[in-house]
Amino acid sequence: MNRLCQSMEPRVMDDDLLKLAVAEQGPREEAGQLAKQEGILFKDVLSLQLDFQNILRIDNLWQFENLRKLQLDNNIIERIEGLENLTHLVWLDLSFNNIETIEGLDTLVNLEDLSLFNNRISKIDSLDALAKLQVLSLGNNQIFNMMNVIYLRRFKDLRTLSLSGNPISEAEDYKMFVCAYLPDLVYLDFRRIDDLTAKLAEVKHQYTIDELKHREDLTQAQREEAQARREELEEHKAAFIEHLDGSFLFDSMYAEDVEGNKLSYLPGVGELLEAYKDKFVIICLNIFEYGLKQQEKRKMEIDTFNECIQEAIQENQEQGKRKIAEFEEKHLLNLSAIRDEPEMPVIEMKIVECGEDITQLFNTLMTLEMQLVEQLEETINIFERNIIDLVGLFIENVQSLYPSHCRDLGSHHHEKLLEISINTLEKIVKGELDEDLPDDVRALFVDKDTIVNAVGASHDIHLLKIDNREDELITRVNSWCTHLVDKIHTDETTRNRKRVKEINQYIDHMQNELDNLEFGDILD
């Protein structure tokens, strides 16, 4: 197939090619004629066939955002690319091309069937995102290492695999190895795996499989633990109190505190530092616990608000549906009466009545929408006040709990450290210091000003860290609140415009239908 393609000029995957393919594969007869007249939007296409087109490069598919099936076999494609937007893709055929590396599939999380048959692939990898993969065809490639099979163990839904025509399929133990390491496989190289083969394979490779399972279990446990930590961190970030459940902030103060680290070698400073740390961490933990409780209150407020909004919209929609149903029932009876009426003056009168009914329905639906707008506006305003109050209370209490206490604690530590440092200086001057100090620490004890400046610099770094964390918390929670409120208002404006547009489109449709009534057809 590829030799046939190579005898032709490579084709560009442009709009003209795509439009032609869509048109040829579109609906036929009356529906097809309508599609040709109005055009088919690429985003509405669910299946696309582009085989035997001599395509060299995958491109311009970004508009096919709802595509489910894509056929690109029997071309001269060299790289898997340009598929990022096809997140709904379920079936992909790239067989009979010139692909050397598996890549570009990270966003295809819904893919179930992938064919890369008859390419130039030597390694099975870069498929990690395809958690739903059930069918994988990799026959007639250049895969020679049996370890590639072990990589496929991560795909728990994989039931059909083709590897025939690869160097590994020539190995004496090929079938047993694959069946042992992929025990959930049902079909291998287009043949069903019988129970006896599966059992023999399990027995033959039991020891190595057991070892592998143990390692996989450990890896999975580590992965789950890491995922749990990430999720927990995200929860803490949402509450704006991440890293306040331990000594992280305290440790970060000393990570950049060169002078403070030097002074920690002084006699008595170690105990002082431990006491400082313990009290500092307790303050952070108090803020952390308070932050979690406040986050829960904000979440409850948001959930209650969303429930109120949805209930109001649903109730309003039900009223609108009832009004439309009543109108359509009466409207159909009126149209039937018009068709049965022989007298032209009566027909004209009934058409006028129908027009008045349409106008009345429009007024009713718009009134309902205006009532809903007013109801939602009141609900949003109440929520906005509540959430702003909650955020304001959170900030106020954090500021009373956190920076003032931390600064007081830091000032107390600073005073004690300065006292110890001056006493140490006096002992050094008198030659009474028994402890040996590192040279860089002794260099601080030139005179009183030098040691005072060193202790002051350490204190300044601590205060700066405390202030920065306070500013960060306040800035983020205020930004979150502003963004939340703005989004709610924007969403309501969008909903209202959409609803008004729906009402107008429905009314216009009904009116056009009435206006297009032909008296001649009625009289016939």
Side-chain angles (χ1 to χ4, degrees), residues 225-371:
E225 184 180 348
Q227 178 63 24
R229 286 198 299 269
R230 285 193 294 270
E231 291 174 359
E232 184 180 54
L233 178 59
E234 289 305 312
E235 290 177 5
H236 296 170
K237 284 182 178 179
F240 312 104
I241 41 81
E242 71 275 12
H243 304 311
L244 291 177
D245 55 339
S247 62
F248 179 86
L249 181 58
F250 185 87
D251 295 339
S252 71
M253 293 193 310
Y254 276 90
E256 300 174 13
D257 184 5
V258 177
E259 308 297 349
N261 284 313
K262 290 178 182 177
L263 293 171
S264 66
Y265 286 96
L266 299 183
V269 172
E271 295 82 354
L272 179 68
L273 200 56
E274 283 299 316
Y276 180 28
K277 181 175 182 178
D278 290 344
K279 292 175 182 178
F280 192 95
V281 170
I282 288 172
I283 294 172
C284 290
L285 285 172
N286 288 337
I287 300 165
F288 178 81
E289 295 296 335
Y290 175 71
L292 287 181
K293 291 176 182 176
Q294 289 300 303
Q295 167 66 0
E296 190 61 31
K297 288 183 179 179
R298 292 193 295 270
K299 186 176 181 300
M300 287 175 62
E301 185 68 32
I302 293 170
D303 290 345
T304 302
F305 166 74
N306 286 332
E307 287 175 11
C308 291
I309 292 291
Q310 291 307 314
E311 285 177 10
I313 292 173
Q314 187 173 354
E315 183 181 346
N316 187 274
Q317 286 177 341
E318 292 300 324
Q319 292 181 42
K321 287 177 182 177
R322 286 196 296 271
K323 295 296 182 183
I324 291 172
E326 291 169 4
F327 162 79
E328 289 184 345
E329 183 180 0
K330 181 181 177 183
H331 189 65
L332 289 173
L333 291 173
N334 287 339
L335 291 181
S336 179
I338 289 172
R339 292 188 181 93
D340 294 339
E341 178 58 51
E343 298 295 330
M344 183 61 70
V346 178
I347 291 174
E348 292 175 348
M349 182 184 68
K350 287 186 178 296
I351 289 177
V352 170
E353 288 177 1
C354 286
E356 291 173 351
D357 289 343
I358 293 172
T359 301
Q360 184 179 352
L361 176 65
F362 173 76
N363 292 333
T364 300
L365 294 177
M366 289 301 292
T367 300
L368 282 172
E369 176 57 22
M370 288 307 299
Q371 290 172 350

